[in-house]
Amino acid sequence: MVKVKVEFLGGLDVIVGKERIHKVEVTRDDGNAVNVGDLIDYIVAKMIKEKNDVEVFIDNGSIRPGILTLINDTDWELEGEKEYELDDGDVVSFTSTLHGG
Amino acid sequence: MVKVKVEFLGGLDVIVGKERIHKVEVTRDDGNAVNVGDLIDYIVAKMIKEKNDVEVFIDNGSIRPGILTLINDTDWELEGEKEYELDDGDVVSFTSTLHGG
Amino acid sequence: SKVNNESLSLTEYQRYGRQMIVEESGGLRGQLELKSTRIVVVGAGGLGCPSLQYLVGAGVGHIGIVDNDTVEASNLHRQTLHDTSRVGTLKCESAKQKLNLLNPFVDIKTYPVRLTSENAFEIFDGYNYVLDCTDSPATRYLVNDVAVSLGITVISASGVGTEGQLCILNFKNQGPCYRCFYPTPPPPNSVSSCSEGGVIGPCIGLVGVMMAIETLKLIYGVYTIENFKPFLMSYSGFPQQSLRVFKMRGKQTTCKCCGSDPKITKETIESGEINYTEFCGQRNYNVC
Amino acid sequence: SKVNNESLSLTEYQRYGRQMIVEESGGLRGQLELKSTRIVVVGAGGLGCPSLQYLVGAGVGHIGIVDNDTVEASNLHRQTLHDTSRVGTLKCESAKQKLNLLNPFVDIKTYPVRLTSENAFEIFDGYNYVLDCTDSPATRYLVNDVAVSLGITVISASGVGTEGQLCILNFKNQGPCYRCFYPTPPPPNSVSSCSEGGVIGPCIGLVGVMMAIETLKLIYGVYTIENFKPFLMSYSGFPQQSLRVFKMRGKQTTCKCCGSDPKITKETIESGEINYTEFCGQRNYNVC
Ligand SMILES: [Zn+2]
Ligand SMILES: [Zn+2]
């Protein structure tokens, strides 16, 4: 079990009850360390209320293009993406890329 | 012995070699917990190079009017001022109040 | 509520539509709040120019501008509401002329005077908010004291070099005032203005834009007695842009201005008993 | 060095003195760098207006403005360089007229066209920096690709509602480009513009001012190959103003634009082989 903070920024909070910041506890049945992939599954299964909002978040089995994923304010690409093993207190942020000018 | 980060903002870095951020270790001979008052004494004794810069920082035995003191981004008035006992990792910030417009 | 019976014309709907559809703006209700709000801006310089542009653009109904300085070419890198053709003319008039063109629906009044103990009450009376865009400690104390006495919330900011600070003072008469934070003024020789310390135009400009944003939030009702926590924002432009929010002390019962036994009142200010020049120390400030 | 043999006249010294005395500006050397710098700004809207004001105020010598939109009253809450008297006229011309008055020492060129695969190379060629102040993904990819191909550093920003983002792309041809961050475009229906999503004027304005500050830092040489770390700044105006700096990936060797085997080149862009509309999906963007 791991306790982490999850943030939905850049308007993405609309898919999770309009709350930008969520504190969640995620467990794995097999007892292995919980990674970011598990957290994404948890968000889809437990946090996104409307099922047709899932496609705003997930595309083709991964985070939708145009959404940046940050682990402790760092691009997840530098941290191992879905394989990053979460620790208590980690902050995972998802932010929609903005296009207006 | 305590390891803390000390910041000099709003132009105050001029009195400490133009470096805004300093990591310092402060000890007390009597073995008691190191407080913010001790840190201020340490800054005056060890960090301010030019002795006539001390009056930029200290006035009448305390921090000069016009300088805000923050402990972990909180006004020190809420944290016990000089009596606050420092822990490893604490951040103490001094910032000159600006007046330009 | 201070919303009056005014409504929006079709032309106003079209002009403000892009902000009214943002949820945080409160839609029509928020726009009518803006329209009925009266704001006085002290100083049409590096902070005042961008604040005024966005407050007037947003449709704040009534704006006062207090400034007796004239435009200089050396102001224009940061005071972008003015222009070269206005050098030598009053900043408040230069600003008003540009702002009228930006948004003719806003009523703009100019006060081409230096704010003093004698005139401040008359100028501030009737305004809902004061923006402190001035550049000397003495004027900052005066703005604060008069606003507290009249029960007006102040959006106060300052900057020099590449840094800036912003706070909300006397929030609904419950929040701390400038003297709660700074009971004793700084020694006069420790203060530098934009003219002598220098300033990077967009750094002070960014702080002015932040003032407009905080003002809109006050008008929209984002801050309430329940959720307001005293803060001071500290912005730094170089080497990396950063914005920190410090949690600040609340109203001090011992405060001479807003505390339980205030010595600073309309009477003591207007009589000259509170002497700002003496309090802050004699020093020549070059105009900013 | 790209500093040419130009010097400053006494009038210029007086105009820029307040920023030249700030240490971070590099004094006379920095001012001459500004004077010899050529910047093209794509979009004279909510981001472009404040960026242009401060870059022109600061004395950047040569500015290009690309925009084929005309001013609408609904722009004015956030596009404060324009005004009511200019409604219906070209934004690039409206901006130029104001900016010339602000600082007659700046040479301003207008491009009243929509940026396309056909004209982008010709427009960008010769500029030192591109400011991406546009409002659709297709144009953002085009700006990026052409800038990378020409070896130009891009200051890219965007905003909607009360939020904004900013990054520096293709820094000295070593930093990541837009396609390194976003190899696949977002689905067209996930994108909202300022017109349809709405925007609070000073929130997008603050991001535009941040662009000017980043541009000045690039010109002053604050960022170097040695110290530059890719980042993305994320600004939020409500409920509390916050600015976060995310640490981002570096240049991707697999990037189709700036990687080791680029498929996106002057030839494939200009021939239309790289089809931006198809890549980003068909969708009608209302002009912002
Ligand atoms: Zn007080
Ligand atoms: Zn790339």
Side-chain angles (χ1 to χ4, degrees), chain D residues 19 82 145-146 191 193 224 253 288:
Chain D
Q19 80 193 15
H82 311 301
D145 295 351
V146 174
V191 176
S193 70
T224 63
T253 52
C288 211

Side-chain angles (χ1 to χ4, degrees), chain C residues 144 148 175-181 250-252 254-259:
Chain C
N144 176 75
V148 167
C177 83
Y178 197 70
R179 287 187 192 260
C180 292
F181 291 168
K251 182 196 270 281
Q252 304 290 292
T254 57
C255 178
K256 285 186 178 150
C257 180
C258 75

